[in-house]
Amino acid sequence: MTRYHRRVHVWVWLAVSVSVGAAFAVWLLSVRGGSS
Amino acid sequence: MSVTYSPVKWNRNKRVYDAFIAAGVAGYLLLFVAVGALVWTGERAVGAPVLLMRALGTCATVMLHIVLCLGPLARLDRRFVPLVYNRRHLGVATFLVALGHAVVAVGYYHGFGALNPLVSLLSLPGLPFEWFGLAALAVLFVMAATSHDFWQKALGASAWKWLHMAVYPAYAFLVLHVLLGALRSEPNLLYPLFVGAGFVTVAALHLAVGFRERRADRGSPSPARVPLEMSPEWIDVGSVDEIPENRAKVVCLPGRERVAVFRYAGQVSAVTNVCAHQRGPLGEGKIVDGCISCPWHGWEYRPGDGCSPPPFEERIVTYRVRVEGRRVLLDPTPLAPGTAVEPARFEENPDG
């Protein structure tokens, strides 16, 4: 990959990680909310 | 490589690869349905459409994880490189399985009302989880539709690569679809653990490759290491003895671009590390029959001028090199793609 593709690769992965982390947080809150 | 386009240029490797994909998908679906019918009984019993929907959905999820893992695995271990060769077929198969899941799900949950099933799906209030699945499917469709070399040529290699990086957003949409949808009312912790393990695996492999390449790039030579008597523009990339015959040493230039310095038949040539096809790492390939062969799909370039052998017309950037004693010196100024550069010659066995 070119250096630009590599750089974007990193940022895209960061965005994916944040999205997945947020999804897990929402899931955890909904499960916790449902059990209380 | 080919000078003409056909839907699929079949060869033995592709047939074997696709047979494995078809057998793997069929085996997974059968196993899932069989186990699901045994496990989900009594109050948790589900009908055949739901079982099929779950089987197809989880199968597509597993396949997307494999697609995402193949790239970093091939960088970490050369034995995985052959699996990258036909990765696009795996990607298209992933889309088709995901499409099957979508058709069954939309038909089952939206197909029995007065509204058109798609209208019904898109009329759901708020931000329903189905939309994330639809977004993932849309991205996979665009990637599958443009996966052929024709589109790569039509869009240009760089634009095509940008477009196909959308596989990462597709993965994020998929995880959102699963976590905010099917698993939101699922009391069994095993399923979210699977999703989490999948993410950790994919992320860990990418991080491992990223850190390894960063370390390698930082270890690359800089112009400051060039002896004073030499021109400061030339970079000392090391000894010819460090480069295996018909292989390359990859160096990272100060501007962060990578160059593959090949050694072959008493000569040294330097070209960009980026293949014109899918941006594969040329420096991890080898010279076969006098041409640099990309490890991903076998695209070939002559080391002396960066041109593909006739009748092909692809060209890559070349660099000037010279050998002083046993040291290889590289001019970091990139030359226009296809520029012929006299290979630097050296004595194969100076002691012999």
Side-chain angles (χ1 to χ4, degrees), chain B residues 117-239:
Chain B
L118 281 177
V119 174
S120 170
L121 174 69
L122 296 170
S123 305
L124 291 169
L127 186 61
F129 75 93
E130 289 92 339
W131 288 20
F132 292 117
L134 203 59
L137 190 66
V139 173
L140 291 179
F141 166 72
V142 171
M143 291 178 61
T146 59
S147 64
H148 197 274
D149 274 355
F150 168 81
W151 284 104
Q152 201 165 333
K153 188 88 171 175
L155 296 170
S158 189
W160 188 90
K161 191 71 184 176
W162 290 119
L163 180 67
H164 281 245
M165 274 193 185
V167 68
Y168 297 110
Y171 173 67
F173 286 136
L174 175 73
V175 174
L176 288 164
H177 175 66
V178 173
L179 282 177
L180 305 184
L183 299 189
R184 202 156 182 184
S185 55
E186 176 58 59
N188 193 336
L189 281 177
L190 197 62
Y191 304 113
L193 276 177
F194 273 132
V195 178
F199 173 71
V200 168
T201 304
V202 174
L205 283 171
H206 279 79
L207 279 173
V209 172
F211 280 119
R212 200 181 78 149
E213 298 204 347
R214 191 181 179 202
R215 205 165 44 241
D217 285 349
R218 286 188 169 177
S220 284
S222 64
R225 296 187 192 173
V226 177
L228 289 176
E229 64 271 22
M230 296 172 185
S231 165
E233 284 100 32
W234 291 74
I235 293 176
D236 184 347
V237 300
S239 167

Side-chain angles (χ1 to χ4, degrees), chain B residues 6 54 99 108 131 148 173 286:
Chain B
S6 60
R54 289 181 182 179
L99 181 65
Y108 185 73
W131 288 20
H148 197 274
F173 286 136
K286 56 185 174 184

Side-chain angles (χ1 to χ4, degrees), chain B residues 12-352:
Chain B
R12 187 179 176 277
N13 286 340
K14 286 185 182 178
R15 287 182 204 283
V16 170
Y17 197 108
D18 286 9
F20 265 102
I21 294 174
V25 169
Y28 179 92
L29 294 178
L30 285 172
L31 192 67
F32 189 98
V33 169
V35 172
L38 288 173
V39 172
W40 290 310
T41 54
E43 283 185 359
R44 296 176 61 78
V46 291
V50 173
L51 203 53
L52 181 62
M53 182 186 71
R54 289 181 182 179
L56 288 164
T58 54
C59 185
T61 304
V62 170
M63 290 170 81
L64 189 58
H65 278 80
I66 295 172
V67 167
L68 288 170
C69 289
L70 281 183
L73 279 174
R75 311 305 298 277
L76 292 170
D77 190 329
R78 280 179 187 273
R79 284 174 295 182
F80 288 98
V81 170
L83 298 179
V84 176
Y85 170 67
N86 225 17
R87 187 170 46 174
R88 283 178 286 176
H89 284 211
L90 185 56
V92 172
T94 303
F95 162 69
L96 292 174
V97 173
L99 181 65
H101 165 79
V103 167
V104 175
V106 171
Y108 185 73
Y109 289 114
H110 300 272
F112 301 104
L115 281 176
N116 178 300
L118 281 177
V119 174
S120 170
L121 174 69
L122 296 170
S123 305
L124 291 169
L127 186 61
F129 75 93
E130 289 92 339
W131 288 20
F132 292 117
L134 203 59
L137 190 66
V139 173
L140 291 179
F141 166 72
V142 171
M143 291 178 61
T146 59
S147 64
H148 197 274
D149 274 355
F150 168 81
W151 284 104
Q152 201 165 333
K153 188 88 171 175
L155 296 170
S158 189
W160 188 90
K161 191 71 184 176
W162 290 119
L163 180 67
H164 281 245
M165 274 193 185
V167 68
Y168 297 110
Y171 173 67
F173 286 136
L174 175 73
V175 174
L176 288 164
H177 175 66
V178 173
L179 282 177
L180 305 184
L183 299 189
R184 202 156 182 184
S185 55
E186 176 58 59
N188 193 336
L189 281 177
L190 197 62
Y191 304 113
L193 276 177
F194 273 132
V195 178
F199 173 71
V200 168
T201 304
V202 174
L205 283 171
H206 279 79
L207 279 173
V209 172
F211 280 119
R212 200 181 78 149
E213 298 204 347
R214 191 181 179 202
R215 205 165 44 241
D217 285 349
R218 286 188 169 177
S220 284
S222 64
R225 296 187 192 173
V226 177
L228 289 176
E229 64 271 22
M230 296 172 185
S231 165
E233 284 100 32
W234 291 74
I235 293 176
D236 184 347
V237 300
S239 167
V240 285
D241 301 312
E242 293 173 23
I243 311 173
E245 181 68 9
N246 291 324
R247 293 275 186 183
K249 176 177 182 179
V250 178
V251 292
C252 185
L253 299 179
R256 312 294 293 167
E257 209 56 82
R258 292 176 183 155
V259 177
V261 183
F262 279 91
R263 167 188 169 158
Y264 55 103
Q267 303 173 96
V268 173
S269 289
V271 297
T272 175
N273 191 46
V274 181
C275 179
H277 181 217
Q278 283 190 22
R279 302 319 205 200
L282 285 178
E284 292 173 27
K286 56 185 174 184
I287 291 186
V288 179
D289 295 332
C291 283
I292 298 165
S293 181
C294 179
W296 282 7
H297 302 95
W299 280 43
E300 295 180 322
Y301 307 93
R302 291 189 300 246
D305 60 9
C307 295
S308 294
F312 308 109
E313 297 175 342
E314 282 69 28
R315 295 170 176 196
I316 53 173
V317 165
T318 56
Y319 292 84
R320 275 190 289 269
V321 280
R322 60 180 214 248
V323 176
E324 301 277 343
R326 303 292 288 173
R327 308 298 296 178
V328 180
L329 303 178
L330 171 79
D331 181 348
T333 309
L335 303 172
T339 302
V341 177
E342 188 66 27
R345 297 178 196 287
F346 65 94
E347 198 177 339
E348 284 275 24
N349 298 304
D351 302 326

Side-chain angles (χ1 to χ4, degrees), chain A residues 1-6 8-9 12-13 16-17 19-20 23-24 26-27 30, chain B residues 158 161-162 165 168 176 179-180 183-184 192 196 202 206 255-258 279:
Chain A
M1 284 191 284
T2 63
R3 58 180 165 162
Y4 300 111
H5 286 117
R6 294 204 299 271
V8 171
H9 212 131
V12 168
W13 249 112
V16 167
S17 301
S19 306
V20 170
F24 263 102
V26 170
W27 170 80
S30 66
Chain B
S158 189
K161 191 71 184 176
W162 290 119
M165 274 193 185
Y168 297 110
L176 288 164
L179 282 177
L180 305 184
L183 299 189
R184 202 156 182 184
V202 174
H206 279 79
R256 312 294 293 167
E257 209 56 82
R258 292 176 183 155
R279 302 319 205 200

